């Protein structure tokens, strides 16, 4: 019963239950009323017909049942309609809270989140987890609670007539609301676990091989893979069949049990209400017929209970999150406003990740003056990107210090974003209008200033040509724009933010050389006067920089102006030659 | 109500026949169950003893049990049938994907293709299961029940028959109203519902701009807006269910009241009235079942449509040629090769080429010039709209020739690393390679360092979900694959080094060049330094070969190549 253990330690759902108690209560009441009306309709109709068959002298004697029949007939659909609206409303309110909570948890380590979970779309997964919790409520929790309320109501109502039969009924109904659902969880729990595992396996397997499909085709081994896939597929089919078969058995059991309940009601009411053409015997039909509409309330419970196995992962993942997120950055209130000129100084900086002893950066000393253009070159994995994160204070140095105007960057807290801007390889564009995307740089920017920065980054014509101009919605993840255009929009945001220092973290690697060259020229021209720290592994555009440093294996290797290096450094000369196409491999 | 395409499934006629039989059996059981129950109740009501009712109670339970056992059998039957059909469709789909290859995948996206083959087919399975069960039940049960009611009292039967189309009309009208309202709100609705995951994906950007803390408010506000929008839509969307509910329960109430009134008048006796009362919910049950699963079936129907679209893609009918292994005197010539991805937008125009023996052909040009398209055509993944292709003396119109493809090694910008051990990846083209050969290949391409770093050497798991490799390392593995396979004499490179840092590129180049010896090589790139190694250079621009020749010839002519060189060296 993992689900119960999970629920016990849960910090994601339980705290919110108390919050909207009123509407929760309302939703459950309406749910109860729906089934109450359904049962009451048949109860009342059974009585009405029986009573009418006894030929009462006066039609007024059946007047009340007639009115009630209509009332219950209308009541059931109305309550059901309202119940669906209120329960959705409640669940969506909960969703808003959960989303806020998830956002806050993730926000703490926003910058590292993507690195932490390298594979898959973990963010999409988490957001789906919240949708799963919605379903858990709508499809499992609400129906189950409503069925329990109904059980209690039925048992109490019967208890008024006969205590021993109420107890018999309690026993019979408990089989339906407790025994069968419990069985569903227990019997199929392990199978579902296996089913999920196989499904995941199939999914990763297939994605993997579809990505490598051209190799399968060239190697002409495609058939082999299809056979392998079929093997797992058959295993999955086997498990799924077992689950379904046990569901069918159980559901048939549940239904037959209702047959028993109906017979029990018939026998009891036959004894309880003796009569001859009417009298107390008018109640027999009422008590027997009432059970049939209630089957709808009880029968789905066991399948619903089984679904909780599916939600376990979501609960586990969400609860796992809040524990592992790191502490927040130190508060920034005590930091006073920094003033120009801005000087970054790096002193004997070393860094290794907490869970790894390998030195990513080793004893680095560096100073970046105001308005200086510094290029940091290095191979992938040399520690350049780690350095960028340290510069912004998102990581704290293991040894040494990193100061902006004499203050540790990591002490600046959130306000670091006023001094240091970042453009990285894949700038994110939000799925909203262009103007909203730009205003992330400066929320108070006027339309005129938006157009002005668009002109500076060379996108004015493009945006003008769009059907709704600045109010055009950027597609999901900004796919409407090409790589170069996305970088230009990112630059426009930085220009609006107007930070004195800008870090360019390999912004142009995925672009073709001409686009890259144009983009670099735009960057350099528009960021003129600011401190630029440009991380790259290309030589393209380096001649526009004041200073170039090479990082190799975490150490500073070469340092100098591009011109100096080009004339005096052999390694640099060789790289230049390769880049120009003049270099021949011996 | 059942898709015409479904009628083409194998064995469907037999299944439908069995289902119809089951539905009839079930309908009779339902009527029997109602009759026996009401007999027992009426007898008790008339003052007869409980013990004398056991016979009727037993008969009631028997019918009740038959009804549910029929259900059990039907579910089992359909489970098996639907799973079998789904398995067939999946097999066909995968075969198609792994036969047609990148074309299908590119036009649908990797994620979509996978989802279609797994979840999509699961939905189809559900669809097949639901639609046959619900439709046969709906076609039979209500009408048998209605006949029984008619037998007892034609007036109630007439009322119930009359109300049926009213329910259907209301559901359709309200369904359309809900749909059009939902359509109108779709765009903003979609945006609100994606807002959250969009914000999560851009959370680092927000952080960089110092907005992430304040943005939490926006998350909550948007989510609340979404709640309100959802409820507004829901109010209308569930109206059609409401209408169904309303009319069915109200009909039952009306029937009950009328029966009551006529019982008082003495026009009727209790037994038929009670039976009708028990039967009327059964009359409506199938339509309610049908409508509650309607949406689930829609997903399956759409998935089936999408899958059929792929299955209907025609496999090119090209006469297979027998092409000998490429050797020093083999000849390949193609002329007038044209290709376009979409109508009227040519991607390649009138490409001509003739090569023989082991030559290195460089294809240089900027992004969008058509060099990758040309490589894809040479690999047979794309079919030219028009071309005369000659292998030695045999003529064809496409490179999608088994005998050609089995001579190819294709090295793209990001060679794909399968999830598996490093060794499995290296021997992908030569599963029978010996340990000795693998070690040699690893040595030649410079993977030794990686192997010694890995905890389990060659048997370390790499790829998705396991240890990630750098771009340079992935390239080396692709080269090792090429090195191991001595049979394949044609190498296709598509920008293999464009994304690598310059030092890694140099190291790789040193390893690549020896491998290119004694091969026919096509090398597409925008990096100039490779051109020195090529025997023949094609300069591409906007889908055309604008200049071709050896490096010296191109340098002298001062044409397109010289211009490209100048623009790439601008700095």
């Amino acid at each position: 019963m993992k689900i119960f253990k999970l629920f016990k330690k849960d910090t994601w759902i339980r705290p919110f239950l108390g919050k909207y108690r009123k509407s929760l209560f309302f939703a459950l009441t309406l749910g109860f009323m729906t089934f109450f009306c359904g049962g009451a309709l048949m109860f009342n109709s059974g009585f009405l017909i029986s009573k009418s068959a006894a030929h009462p002298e006066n039609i007024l004697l059946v007047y009340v049942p007639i009115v009630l029949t209509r009332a219950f007939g209308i009541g059931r659909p109305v309550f059901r309609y309202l119940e669906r609206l209120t329960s959705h409303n409640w669940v969506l309110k909960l969703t808003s809270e959960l989303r806020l909570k998830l956002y806050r948890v993730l926000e703490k380590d926003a910058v590292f989140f993507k690195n932490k979970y390298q594979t898959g779309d973990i963010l999409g997964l988490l957001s789906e987890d919240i949708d799963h919790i919605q379903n858990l409520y709508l499809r499992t929790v609400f129906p189950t609670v409503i069925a329990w309320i109904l059980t209690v109501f039925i048992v109490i109502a019967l208890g008024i007539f006969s205590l021993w039969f109420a107890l018999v009924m309690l026993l019979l109904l408990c089989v339906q609301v407790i025994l069968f659902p419990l069985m569903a969880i227990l019997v199929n729990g392990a199978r579902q676990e296996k089913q999920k595992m196989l499904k995941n396996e199939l999914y990763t397997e297939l994605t993997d091989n579809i990505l490598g499909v051209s190799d399968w085709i060239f190697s002409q081994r495609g058939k082999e893979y299809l056979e392998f896939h079929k093997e797992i597929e058959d295993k999955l089919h086997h498990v799924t069949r077992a689950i379904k078969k046990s569901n069918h058995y159980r559901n048939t059991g549940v239904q037959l049990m209702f047959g028993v309940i109906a017979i029990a009601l018939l026998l009891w009411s036959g004894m309880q209400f003796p009569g001859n053409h009417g009298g107390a015997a008018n109640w027999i039909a009422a008590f027997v017929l009432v059970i049939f509409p209630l089957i709808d309330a009880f029968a789905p419970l066991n399948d619903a209970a089984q679904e909780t196995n599916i939600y376990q992962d979501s609960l586990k993942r969400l609860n796992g999150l809040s524990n592992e997120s790191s502490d927040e950055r130190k508060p920034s209130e005590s930091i006073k406003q920094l003033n120009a000129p801005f000087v970054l100084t790096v002193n004997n900086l070393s860094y290794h990740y907490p869970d790894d002893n390998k030195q990513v950066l080793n004893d680095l000393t560096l100073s970046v003056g105001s308005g200086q253009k510094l290029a940091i070159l290095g191979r992938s994995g040399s520690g350049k990107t780690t350095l960028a994160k340290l510069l912004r204070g998102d990581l704290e140095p293991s040894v040494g210090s990193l100061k902006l105007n004499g203050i540790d960057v990591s002490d600046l807290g959130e306000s670091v974003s006023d001094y240091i801007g970042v453009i990285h390889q894949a700038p994110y564009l939000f799925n909203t209008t262009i103007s909203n995307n730009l205003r992330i740089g400066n929320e108070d920017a006027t339309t005129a200033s938006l157009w002005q920065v668009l002109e500076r980054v060379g996108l004015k014509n493009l945006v003008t040509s769009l059907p709704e101009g600045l109010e055009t919605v950027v597609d999901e993840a900004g796919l409407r724009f090409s790589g170069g255009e996305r970088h230009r929009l990112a630059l426009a945001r930085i220009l609006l933010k107007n930070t004195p220092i800008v870090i360019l973290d390999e912004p142009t690697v995925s672009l073709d050389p001409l686009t890259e060259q144009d983009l670099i020229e735009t960057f350099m021209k528009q960021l003129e006067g600011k401190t630029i720290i440009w991380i790259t592994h290309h030589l393209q555009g380096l001649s526009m920089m004041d200073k170039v440093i090479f990082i190799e294996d975490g150490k500073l290797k070469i340092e100098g102006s591009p011109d100096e290096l080009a004339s005096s450094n052999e390694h640099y000369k060789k790289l230049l030659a390769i880049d120009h196409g003049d270099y021949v491999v011996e | 109500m059942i898709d015409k395409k479904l009628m083409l499934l194998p064995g469907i006629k037999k299944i439908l026949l069995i289902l119809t039989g089951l539905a009839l059996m079930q309908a009779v059981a339902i009527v029997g169950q109602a009759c026996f129950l009401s007999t027992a109740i009426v007898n008790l009501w008339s003052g007869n003893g409980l013990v004398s009712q056991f016979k009727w109670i037993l008969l009631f339970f028997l019918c009740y049990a038959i009804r549910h056992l029929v259900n059990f059998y039907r579910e089992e039957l359909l489970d098996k049938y639907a799973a079998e059909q789904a398995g067939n469709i999946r097999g066909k789909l995968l075969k198609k994907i792994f036969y047609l290859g990148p074309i299908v995948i590119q036009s649908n996206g990797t994620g979509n293709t996978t989802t279609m083959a797994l979840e999509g087919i699961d939905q189809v399975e559900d669809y097949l299961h639901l639609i046959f069960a619900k439709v046969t039940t709906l076609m039979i049960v209500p009408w048998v029940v209605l006949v029984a009611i008619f037998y007892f009292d034609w007036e109630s039967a007439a009322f119930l028959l009359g109300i049926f189309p009213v329910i259907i009309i209301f559901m359709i009208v309200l369904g359309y109203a809900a749909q059009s309202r939902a359509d109108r709100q779709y765009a903003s609705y979609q945006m609100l519902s994606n807002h959250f995951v969009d914000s999560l994906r851009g959370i680092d950007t927000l952080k960089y701009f110092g907005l992430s803390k304040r943005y939490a408010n926006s998350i909550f506000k948007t989510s609340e807006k979404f709640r309100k929008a959802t409820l507004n839509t829901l109010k209308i969307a569930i109206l059609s269910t409401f209408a169904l509910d309303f009319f069915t329960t109200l009909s039952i109430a009306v029937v009950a009241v009328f029966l009551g009134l006529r019982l008082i008048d003495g026009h009727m006796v209790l037994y038929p009235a009670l039976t009708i009362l028990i039967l009327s919910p059964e009359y409506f049950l199938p339509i309610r079942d049908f409508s509650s699963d309607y949406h689930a079936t829609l997903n399956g129907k759409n998935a089936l449509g999408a899958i059929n679209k792929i299955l209907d893609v025609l496999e090119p009918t090209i006469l297979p040629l027998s092409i000998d292994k490429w050797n020093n005197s083999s000849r390949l010539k193609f002329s007038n090769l044209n290709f376009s991805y979409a109508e009227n937008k040519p991607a390649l125009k009138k490409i001509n080429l003739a090569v023989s023996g082991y030559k290195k052909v460089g294809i240089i040009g900027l992004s969008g010039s058509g060099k990758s398209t040309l490589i894809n055509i040479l690999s047979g993944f794309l079919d030219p709209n028009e071309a005369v292709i000659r292998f030695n003396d045999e003529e064809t119109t496409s490179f999608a020739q088994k005998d050609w493809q089995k001579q190819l090694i294709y090295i793209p910008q990001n060679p794909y690393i399968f999830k598996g051990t490093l060794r499995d990846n290296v021997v992908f083209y030569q599963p029978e390679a010996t340990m000795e050969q693998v070690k040699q290949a690893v040595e030649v391409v410079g993977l030794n360092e990686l192997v010694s770093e890995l905890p389990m050497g060659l048997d370390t798991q790499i790829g998705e979900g396991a240890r990630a490799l750098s771009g340079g390392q992935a390239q080396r593995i692709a080269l090792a694959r090429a090195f191991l396979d001595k049979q394949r004499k044609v190498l296709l490179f598509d920008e293999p080094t464009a994304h690598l840092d310059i030092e890694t590129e140099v190291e790789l180049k040193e390893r690549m060049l020896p491998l290119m010896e004694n091969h026919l090589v096509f090398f597409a790139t925008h990096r100039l330094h490779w051109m020195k190694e090529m025997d023949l250079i094609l300069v591409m621009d906007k889908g055309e070969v604008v200049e071709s020749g050896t490096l010296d010839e191109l340098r002298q002519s001062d044409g397109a190549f010289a211009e490209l060189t100048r623009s790439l060296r601008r700095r």
Side-chain angles (χ1 to χ4, degrees), chain B residues 366-412:
Chain B
L366 294 172
S367 307
S369 60
K371 41 184 201 315
S372 290
T373 308
L374 183 55
I375 293 284
N376 274 329
I377 284 192
L378 287 168
S379 67
F381 286 151
L382 294 176
D383 266 336
N385 303 40
E386 194 186 348
V388 182
I389 301 164
R390 269 172 190 282
F391 289 103
N392 298 321
D393 293 317
E394 298 211 61
E395 207 177 290
T396 180
T397 55
S398 163
F399 286 94
Q401 297 279 354
K402 287 263 171 253
D403 276 7
W404 170 248
Q405 286 186 325
K406 75 179 182 207
Q407 307 193 29
L408 297 180
I409 293 225
Y410 168 66
I411 302 190

Side-chain angles (χ1 to χ4, degrees), chain A residues 564-578:
Chain A
E564 274 166 39
L565 293 177
S567 60
S568 64
N569 189 296
E570 286 308 314
H571 186 67
Y572 190 75
K573 271 198 224 168
K574 179 179 157 192
L575 294 180
L576 266 182
I578 300 166

Side-chain angles (χ1 to χ4, degrees), chain B residues 239-298:
Chain B
L239 263 186
S240 68
T241 325
F242 172 76
L244 176 65
D245 245 9
F246 183 78
F247 281 114
T248 52
T249 41
L250 198 63
S251 299
I252 296 167
V254 168
V255 167
V257 170
F258 272 99
L259 288 173
L261 291 178
R262 286 167 55 215
L263 280 166
I264 294 176
D265 290 352
H267 289 301
M268 221 178 182
V269 286
L270 182 57
Y271 171 69
L274 195 58
T275 315
I276 292 171
L277 181 65
I278 298 173
L279 280 176
S280 18
E282 304 289 356
Y283 171 71
F284 291 114
L285 191 61
I287 181 83
R288 285 167 71 160
D289 269 356
F290 182 79
S291 79
S292 69
D293 284 319
Y294 182 66
H295 286 282
T297 62
L298 269 192

Side-chain angles (χ1 to χ4, degrees), chain B residues 85-151:
Chain B
Q85 297 313 316
N88 279 346
I89 297 173
R90 180 181 284 127
K92 276 193 225 161
L93 179 68
L94 288 177
K95 212 169 148 198
K96 197 88 173 185
I97 291 170
F98 279 80
Y99 182 86
L100 287 178
I103 307 175
V104 179
I105 294 163
Q106 264 161 25
S107 64
N108 292 286
T110 313
N112 270 344
T113 314
T114 321
T115 313
M116 197 187 288
L118 299 174
E119 275 162 50
I121 297 219
D122 286 347
Q123 286 171 349
V124 170
E125 191 177 331
D126 286 346
Y127 171 54
L128 295 179
H129 187 136
L130 287 175
I131 193 86
F132 292 134
K134 304 281 157 164
V135 170
T136 43
T137 309
L138 184 60
M139 302 288 253
I140 307 233
V141 174
W143 316 114
V144 174
V145 170
L146 195 67
V147 167
I149 295 175
F150 185 85
Y151 168 77

Side-chain angles (χ1 to χ4, degrees), chain A residues 6 10-13 98-99 101-103 105-106 117 122-123 125-134 311-324, chain B residues 196 200:
Chain A
L6 273 173
D10 171 76
T11 55
W12 275 81
I13 301 182
L98 288 177
R99 285 183 166 172
K101 177 167 168 146
L102 177 60
Y103 179 84
V105 169
L106 296 184
Y117 299 89
I122 182 77
L123 294 171
L125 218 60
L126 286 170
S127 127
E128 269 171 34
D129 284 340
I130 291 190
D131 296 345
H132 285 165
I133 290 181
Q134 283 187 20
Y311 305 127
Q312 272 177 31
D313 284 352
S314 297
L315 268 183
K316 219 190 277 173
R317 199 163 22 230
L318 289 174
N319 275 307
L321 267 184
S322 37
N323 304 333
E324 68 177 48
Chain B
F196 181 59
L200 290 188

Side-chain angles (χ1 to χ4, degrees), chain A residues 76 80-81 89 96 103 107 121 208 215 221 233 248 255 277 282 428 431 443 512 578 580-581, chain B residues 45 64 79 90 198 201 212 214 223-224 227 235 245 288 367 416 419 428-429 506 532 569:
Chain A
R76 195 196 110 89
R80 179 155 181 239
Y81 180 80
N89 188 29
S96 297
Y103 179 84
E107 193 268 338
D121 180 13
D208 197 42
D215 288 306
R221 289 173 58 195
E233 194 72 64
H248 296 332
Q255 292 293 349
H277 291 79
N282 287 340
Y428 193 80
N431 188 8
E443 288 166 288
D512 82 80
I578 300 166
H580 282 199
Chain B
W45 179 78
Y64 184 86
D79 267 359
R90 180 181 284 127
D198 188 45
R201 292 201 175 115
S212 54
R214 262 182 296 152
S223 187
E224 285 291 283
R227 175 173 67 84
K235 271 179 203 160
D245 245 9
R288 285 167 71 160
S367 307
Y416 194 70
K419 186 177 173 229
F428 191 84
Y429 284 80
V506 173
K532 279 216 169 65
R569 285 193 192 165

Side-chain angles (χ1 to χ4, degrees), chain A residues 35 44 50 263 292 316 328 361 427 443 454 469 503 506:
Chain A
F35 289 108
N44 198 48
S50 302
I263 291 171
F292 293 101
K316 219 190 277 173
E328 285 198 55
L361 291 171
E443 288 166 288
L454 282 176
I503 298 175
E506 306 205 60

Side-chain angles (χ1 to χ4, degrees), chain A residues 144-325:
Chain A
T144 305
V145 173
I146 289 170
W148 286 345
I149 298 176
L150 274 173
T151 306
V152 172
F153 177 80
I154 291 171
V155 171
I156 291 175
L158 286 175
I160 296 171
F161 295 95
S162 148
L163 190 63
W164 70 267
F165 188 66
L167 289 175
V168 170
M169 202 47 149
L170 179 66
L171 206 67
L172 290 173
L173 286 178
C174 277
V175 171
Q176 303 286 35
V177 295
I178 297 178
L179 189 67
F180 276 117
L182 218 56
M183 238 165 75
I185 299 182
L186 290 177
V187 171
N188 280 336
R191 289 191 190 128
Q192 279 178 311
E193 200 77 14
K194 192 167 175 201
Q195 185 188 34
K196 196 166 55 194
M197 215 184 66
L198 285 169
K199 271 194 176 166
N200 279 343
E201 188 181 341
L202 269 182
Y203 194 82
T204 42
E205 198 67 56
L206 191 61
T207 311
D208 197 42
N209 288 290
I210 278 183
L211 283 169
V213 70
S214 47
D215 288 306
W216 284 113
I217 290 179
F218 286 130
S219 65
Q220 301 186 348
R221 289 173 58 195
K223 234 193 193 144
E224 261 173 66
Y225 174 68
L226 291 184
E227 275 160 24
F228 173 68
H229 182 89
K230 182 121 202 334
E231 242 172 67
I232 313 181
E233 194 72 64
D234 286 346
K235 266 192 232 159
L236 176 65
H237 173 67
H238 207 70
V239 179
T240 311
R241 269 296 300 152
I243 293 177
K244 280 190 177 164
K245 196 161 189 166
S246 102
N247 287 352
H248 296 332
Y249 276 122
R250 208 180 49 242
N251 281 325
T252 309
V254 167
Q255 292 293 349
L256 292 181
M257 196 65 204
F258 277 114
V260 173
I261 291 177
I263 291 171
L265 277 166
L266 181 63
L267 294 178
W268 171 74
S269 56
M271 289 187 282
Q272 181 81 21
F273 305 109
N276 191 341
H277 291 79
N282 287 340
W283 293 106
I284 299 175
F287 275 95
V288 176
L289 295 192
V290 72
I291 192 66
F292 293 101
L294 295 183
I295 296 181
D296 283 350
F298 293 101
L301 286 194
N302 60 93
D303 282 345
Q306 193 170 311
E307 277 190 39
T308 53
N309 284 331
I310 304 167
Y311 305 127
Q312 272 177 31
D313 284 352
S314 297
L315 268 183
K316 219 190 277 173
R317 199 163 22 230
L318 289 174
N319 275 307
L321 267 184
S322 37
N323 304 333
E324 68 177 48
S325 71

